[in-house]
Amino acid sequence: MKGLANRRFSVYYFIILTSVVLIARVAYLQLVSLKYKEQAQRVILERQLDYPSRGLIFDRNGKTLVYNKPIYVIYATYRKIDPKMDTTLFCNLLGIDKSTFIHNLNKDWSNPQFHKSLPFVFLSKVNPDQFAVFKEHMYKFPGFTAVERNIRGYPHHHGGHVLGYLGEVDQAIIDKSDGVYIPGDYIGKTGLEIAYEKELSGIKGIHYILRDNLGRRIGPYENGKLDSMAIPGEDIKISIDLDLQAYADSLMMNKKGGLVAIEPSTGEILAMVSAPTYDPNLLILDENRNVGMTKLLRDTINRPLNNRAVTNRFPPGSIIKPIISLIALQKGVTWINRPMNCFGGFRLSATKKMGCHGHAPIHNVAEAIQHSCNTYYLQITKDFLDQYGSKYPGIGLDTLVSYFHDFGLGSKLGMDFSYEGQGFIPDSKYYDRVYKREKSGWKSMWVLSIGIGQGEMQLTTVQMANLAATIANRGYYITPHFIKQYISGKHIPDQYTQKHKMRIDSKYFSPVIDGMEAVVLAGTARIAYVPGLDICGKTGTSQNPHGDDHSVFFGFAPKNNPKIAVAVFIENAGWGGDWAAPISSLLIEKYLNKSISPTRKYLEEKMMKGLLNVTSEKIVPHSAQKQDSVQLTQ
Amino acid sequence: MSATKIYYNLKGDRSIWLIVMLLSLFSLLIVYSTSGSQVYKYNTSHGTEYYLIRQLLFIGTGLLLTYTAYRLHYMVYAKLAPILMIIAVPLLIYTAFFGTELNDASRWIRIPFLDLSFQTSDFARIALILFIARSLAMKQEYIKSFKEAFVPLILPVAGICALIAPSNLSTSLLLFVTAFTMIFIGRISLKYVFLLLVLGILIFAAIYYGGQYFPEHFRAEVWAKRIHEFWYSDGQYQIVQSKIAVAEGGWFGLGPGNSIQRNLLPYAYADFIYAIICEEYGFFGGMVILGLYLWLLIRTVGLVTRCSKTFGAMLALGLTLNIVITAFANIAVSVQLVPATGLTLPMISMGGTSFLFTCISLGIILSVSRYVEQAYEEKKQLENLEANAESNH
């Protein structure tokens, strides 16, 4: 057994040897070597961030929409401040009072966030003019340093909703960002600033700097091996035409509503207004930011921060009629030359009648669109829903809904924009739920209002404009988008060049477009007629149970080879022909002719002056809301 | 049962009891000292007292576990060993595939209802040591055939180590060293000892190099990076900070609660707690801690020589070796003698399941010591009786 005892002892010896090595190493580090004692003198490793400049934004013609301008952050290092400094001069130069000075300087020193030897933010958002004066005197105030940060600037006053604004990043985003954002960073909050945050923001540079225990700078850490340069954000060119945007802003003055103009062949958005709009300069992150933000947030009647062009949804009214025509023609439910006598309305039941306008009998689909004949559309909608038998309106409805989905309705279009709305398209499941008490199920007669764009159906303004673009293209659309070009040459995503084709034969488009042309030539939108521009369009008056009807128009021009498609939605403005149609025609005229003809100047003036929104919503008597089936839609 | 009564009834090695108490006391002091940086790091609403009370609760629970393990006769553990092994294997497999990821390694599973993460390798560690001690005791005298050596000894060691290694290489290595030492001492033919050694090297090499092809399942990148940093640089940030902490301590340290490096050193309350001990209590403090572990080893060795049963001897030795080797490895990391690993300092690092399992280990060692003492006294009495009988004769 002697050999086995030896084994045991060899283990003990090994352990004793190990502990001797450990003790020797600890003793060497702790008692002999000076290397780490010296390092202990400069334990402070400072991580200095270089902020990249944020990407610039240009309009489609290369005009600057958004640039960067400097603002200054003043840092203080408590221990370096001269206790005898001239505080009165200091406060006057920076425009602060004594209490702010005392409050900003005396931090909670028990909090490890702050250290008397390390700089902390004393004052943020000092504007360049003030800083220039302060800088001259800065030598008198040791312990104070300044760092330049960039905020956004705008050389114009337009497109607030399109461009969006910046704000300080939220804690939730910081936690999720894996170190990309730190508290106090600026991040896009709305509009293109948030949609292109990743591209615009760039990448921060990092410098590690060693400081000694008194906060003195020793040099870069590990000779700068770990340091990195800031990579500036990417500059982008967007599809907005600044001149057109400015003109659209002025047309939409004093109104509530949305306006979207698209170039049909590319899907590029030329102008987008959510009215009432705001000047982007109001929300610049300078010392006046709070004033501007409060002003916009306080306006709870007009809610100027809502995006009525992209997010909010509205009933489309009669502008859905051309789309219904196309789908019904394709499914063979109706035919191009189907005649119909209106008799002044469509009989829903023995006592209820959906009214129509006084017009001549209809001979074909073009005339139905021209006169916006309710009877015609209620009839073909009924035919459509009952095409699989009147017991199964659900199957007919879902067929219709599947075509609506093709047109980009009822779901997000997939724009490169924040907070895009979906709109709402009711399907058979929806009505099953609404009418679940009815034992024999619901009937097509109960939901016919879909055919004239009323009832539950709701669209966003951009979806309406996209419908106009789809008709202008005779059967396809490209997802509406803002990105036109990355200045770096990077390709724009494929989704903004792909065509979404409709399942509708191209031969059905010409009668519908003829009808839309007739609307402007001899129908409900004669006021939108501009000689030589061949505007095609359709008005809508969408009923609103809370107040006056909404005025809607969508259209495109010229008829052949269209250059612009427009949708305009004005809340509580009455008939489509009163406001939305003339505004659209002025926008089209401005874009195609670059100027407004003298004969139409009166119209331009009237539209710009039109005071519509500023009053609160009308309170409608309860009984008036009930009379839903006898109103007109145009 | 009053405390004094417990004290008088407390049998077993008094020195080991004292070591347990002293280590617990140190643990409380250091963990409380480092808790400030944790409060700041996790931005918690509760103050530093939370960590003090938490650690007190852990120590209380741990001592209770020690006492319970000590109250059981150690031969009970021989019966428990195969059952624990059967539980350990599926637990390890479950952890490897469905475990919680903490600090980028899948080593933990959540215990439902209690807000605790449970490191399954700690459980498997005790199970394996118990099992090997049992096998060595059962295969008394020479293990002659390959079959006798392979099934009860080599297979469990290789299997458990291979299961732990992908997520926790250092624990697996230390466990392998412990098991290997037990088998080396345990009267097994050298042939099989070398077989185990070769097999072990093959397994670790396979996992290390194989891991580079399956980086999502193994931490090969981390291992390679740490080994590279160990050889070719002054160490990564935390190692440099740790060495600074040791250097700051000098002979007598900065005093309890005066550490500066705790604010700069990540995991100052767990992996790098020894550096903070050196900083606050100096060279002497560091030596006291190291001495306590060595003392534990010396007491166990004394125990082992007196123990008549192979199972008890092997059990106590195996558990002690594991504690001491882990402690040495942790200290070695703090002073950059080995590459950085995620090992805690047994009985001192902030509470967690590894703390509780160390307490159980110590309880088992104490249980062995109790019966060794009892047997020794009986033997003495017997000798006295015999001597009396002879003189009377």
Side-chain angles (χ1 to χ4, degrees), chain B residues 243-302:
Chain B
K243 286 191 284 185
I244 289 171
V246 174
E248 280 282 86
W251 283 100
F252 303 103
L254 302 173
N258 290 338
S259 168
I260 296 165
Q261 288 299 107
R262 62 185 173 196
N263 298 324
L264 300 161
L265 192 50
Y267 305 113
Y269 47 87
D271 300 9
F272 290 98
I273 202 161
Y274 191 75
I276 305 295
I277 294 174
C278 284
E279 191 187 6
E280 291 197 347
Y281 300 90
F283 181 69
F284 286 112
M287 286 307 105
V288 166
I289 298 292
L290 199 68
L292 284 175
Y293 289 113
L294 272 179
W295 192 16
L296 175 69
L297 184 71
I298 291 165
R299 292 305 303 179
T300 313
V301 167

Side-chain angles (χ1 to χ4, degrees), chain A residues 259-294:
Chain A
L259 175 153
V260 177
I262 299 179
E263 186 176 73
S265 58
T266 57
E268 289 171 1
I269 296 171
L270 300 168
M272 186 182 95
V273 184
S274 167
T277 188
Y278 63 87
D279 183 347
N281 290 289
L282 212 55
L283 295 180
I284 286 180
L285 278 167
D286 61 7
E287 69 274 22
N288 298 323
R289 164 66 175 263
N290 286 346
V291 182
M293 198 58 161
T294 314

Side-chain angles (χ1 to χ4, degrees), chain A residues 313-317 397 410 423-427 430-435 446-459 543 628:
Chain A
R313 57 195 204 191
F314 308 97
L397 178 63
F424 180 73
I425 300 291
D427 58 6
Y430 173 83
Y431 285 121
D432 287 347
R433 212 165 50 240
V434 170
Y435 294 112
W446 303 353
V447 301
L448 283 189
S449 54
I450 284 181
I452 53 172
Q454 295 296 155
E456 293 88 347
M457 178 193 247
Q458 291 187 316
L459 270 54
Q543 286 172 18
D628 52 348

Side-chain angles (χ1 to χ4, degrees), chain A residues 69-131:
Chain A
K69 64 181 190 184
I71 194 160
Y72 293 86
V73 183
I74 311 278
Y75 285 88
T77 310
Y78 194 86
R79 287 230 167 101
K80 287 188 188 164
I81 296 170
D82 178 8
K84 281 179 276 178
M85 67 181 253
D86 185 349
T87 48
T88 318
L89 174 64
F90 184 86
C91 289
N92 286 342
L93 286 172
L94 286 176
I96 55 174
D97 56 19
K98 194 181 155 193
S99 61
T100 316
F101 177 81
I102 292 169
H103 175 262
N104 287 359
L105 201 57
N106 293 299
K107 298 290 175 189
D108 174 12
W109 302 116
S110 63
N111 184 342
Q113 236 184 314
F114 300 110
H115 193 285
K116 284 189 176 174
S117 299
L118 292 178
F120 58 89
V121 176
F122 173 77
L123 201 64
S124 58
K125 297 175 187 168
V126 177
N127 70 46
D129 295 341
Q130 194 144 43
F131 181 72

